[in-house]
Amino acid sequence: MESTGGWPTPEEAAVALAEAEASRTMLARGVVLPPFVDGAIGAAIAVQIATTALGLADIGRWAGWLLPAGVVFVLVAGIELARFRPSTGVRPGGFAGRVVGAPATVASTSYCAVPRRGGVRTGMAGGALRGRRRDGLRVQRSPMAPNLPGRAGDTRPGRIGRGAGRAGDPRGRRPGAAAGRAV
Amino acid sequence: MPELDVSIQPPARLKLMTTLTAVSEAEFATLHDTLQVSDSVLSKHVSALVAVGYVNSRKGIHAGRRTTWITLTAAGRTALSTHVAALRELIAGVE
């Protein structure tokens, strides 16, 4: 069907549109993902998630692995994109942005930025932890509130302060605590 | 009322441009297989559409093999939409 003379009749127009749509559908159906794309990208994302989870659980120890995890994902995504085009003969619109990058584009960018902020957070966390006692009570060190519980040096019974209630340290031990143990 | 575009009127060109709307870029060999036309016919239509600015063609090399990639341009997409609308009106006129 290769007539170009004159305008098409309605029947010819309908046939032309139907054939064009059929060709488009045929091409779209022929586009398939190369093998192991899902598995490779899934594994890369799993590495990211695991590293992030570990990083959140133990910031100082695992934060340094967040950047390599992001690099691993970008590397895997690049390889899969490079594999896709020659194997299918087409480049679908939005494949990189919506299929490969969508699950983790923003996440990868964020993760790559995390180590720098992670160091800051680690320092902040360390500072906060230094201000906590082993029993989890926050030590109040504000000079503006000298009578608040936990002031450094405050060893009055019932107060939370440095040395208060510490095992083996009679200072600050609550009345009756020793008696209770003695009974 | 939208008008028919002479450059897209041959059915093979309409099929070619409609097929290209499904992807961002397609290899010449893939289009050849999909449209089931000879290389020379496809090359002629691609050249004609490149001449009017409806598609772009670029050469590439993959694994030592020369490849040609065809892309639908924005002008081509607009022209195709107008042409298809005109065809639909033509069909609707007798229904």
Side-chain angles (χ1 to χ4, degrees), chain B residues 30-90:
Chain B
T30 304
L31 289 173
H32 161 264
D33 293 340
T34 304
L35 301 176
Q36 297 174 343
V37 293
S38 65
D39 284 355
S40 60
V41 169
L42 180 58
S43 179
K44 187 181 74 173
H45 287 307
V46 168
S47 298
L49 291 172
V50 168
V52 294
Y54 289 172
V55 300
N56 279 334
S57 170
R58 69 174 180 84
K59 303 286 185 184
I61 295 178
H62 174 68
R65 184 173 60 93
R66 291 187 65 183
T67 56
T68 303
W69 292 87
I70 315 295
T71 313
L72 190 65
T73 64
R77 198 173 289 271
T78 304
L80 179 64
S81 299
T82 306
H83 184 76
V84 169
L87 287 177
R88 291 193 192 285
E89 283 198 5
L90 190 63

Side-chain angles (χ1 to χ4, degrees), chain A residues 63-134:
Chain A
W65 289 97
L66 295 179
L67 181 61
V71 171
V72 164
F73 176 79
V74 171
L75 197 64
V76 170
I79 291 171
E80 295 305 327
L81 284 173
R83 281 177 62 205
F84 183 84
R85 194 187 286 200
S87 66
T88 58
V90 298
R91 184 168 65 85
F95 178 71
R98 296 177 193 167
V99 178
V100 175
T105 300
V106 177
S108 300
T109 308
S110 307
Y111 294 164
C112 289
V114 160
R116 182 173 294 179
R117 295 177 60 87
V120 176
R121 287 190 176 184
T122 304
M124 292 171 63
L129 288 172
R130 280 193 295 275
R132 287 178 184 272
R133 289 156 38 102
R134 285 185 180 176

